[in-house]
Amino acid sequence: MNKPHPPDASVPPALPPVKTLPSRLFSALIAVPAALWIFLEEWLWDFMLKFMAWLALLPPVRWLERQISKLPPYAALITFVIPAAVLLPFKLAAFWLIAHGHSMLGAAVFIVAKIIGTAFLARIFSLTRKSLMTIGWFACAYNIINAWKARLYAYVRALPVYQRMRALLRAAKVRIKSWWRSLFDTQI
């Protein structure tokens, strides 16, 4: 049996690959929209969570959520997929509007559908996660997607454009709170 040779200390470690101009351009074209998307998603996330928590206080919604949380795995999967399926026609209509010269309306329809879909999917996932994670292929896909998403988010959060947007938002919040207090002499 051949033993592997120990690494030769005289051989320098491999250098990272050199990025070509097309590769750098592609990264820049992807990085800015990705940073903007993640920034908006994080900014809206708190609002969506508060809204869904308020909605869950309504008696019929509370009852429905209790029923959803008791579902067996594949019924939970169907329940989890329903909001995405319901909103798909709206997203397709948004792309159709954009393709036919109504870019602002199309973008607005897409953004509203994305926000509503994300809010409902997040809430339903929180209710059905235990059941969904008992489905082997779902748990595997969830772990793969989460690992990929974590790497993507770490990459985007390290970008200067993302960090600049975060700094601008923090500064804007401070100015808005200060302005509000000066108008109404209240605490936010």
Side-chain angles (χ1 to χ4, degrees):
M1 174 178 249
N2 292 339
K3 286 187 174 183
H5 295 289
D8 187 357
S10 65
V11 177
L15 296 174
V18 177
K19 284 193 166 189
T20 62
L21 181 61
S23 172
R24 287 194 311 258
L25 285 174
F26 179 73
S27 292
L29 290 174
I30 295 299
V32 172
L36 184 60
W37 189 262
I38 291 170
F39 172 75
L40 289 172
E41 193 173 82
E42 286 179 349
W43 187 58
L44 291 171
W45 193 254
D46 288 336
F47 170 75
M48 289 188 302
L49 288 176
K50 287 176 186 173
F51 174 73
M52 295 306 287
W54 172 81
L55 197 59
L57 295 175
L58 301 173
V61 176
R62 190 176 27 225
W63 176 85
L64 182 62
E65 285 190 350
R66 276 196 306 270
Q67 302 311 309
I68 290 171
S69 65
K70 296 176 191 175
L71 290 173
Y74 283 95
L77 181 62
I78 291 168
T79 304
F80 178 66
V81 172
I82 287 173
V86 167
L87 291 170
L88 181 63
F90 293 99
K91 291 179 181 179
L92 294 175
F95 288 124
W96 183 88
L97 287 166
I98 292 168
H100 287 87
H102 303 285
S103 55
M104 294 304 288
L105 180 59
V109 169
F110 183 83
I111 290 168
V112 169
K114 178 65 177 163
I115 290 169
I116 291 170
T118 301
F120 279 97
L121 279 174
R123 188 67 179 176
I124 292 172
F125 183 73
S126 70
L127 297 170
T128 59
R129 180 182 175 146
K130 187 177 177 183
S131 289
L132 291 172
M133 297 309 270
T134 64
I135 303 171
W137 64 265
F138 185 91
C140 182
Y142 174 80
N143 291 331
I144 290 169
I145 290 169
N146 263 1
W148 176 81
K149 182 179 169 184
R151 286 192 307 274
L152 174 66
Y153 274 38
Y155 171 76
V156 169
R157 286 183 180 126
L159 292 172
V161 68
Y162 178 83
Q163 293 170 6
R164 180 73 178 138
M165 285 190 299
R166 295 280 300 190
L168 289 172
L169 178 65
R170 282 192 298 272
K173 276 184 174 179
V174 168
R175 278 187 253 132
I176 290 169
K177 284 183 179 184
S178 174
W179 172 76
W180 186 263
R181 285 183 188 129
S182 71
L183 282 179
F184 300 104
D185 195 37
T186 61
Q187 294 290 326
I188 297 177

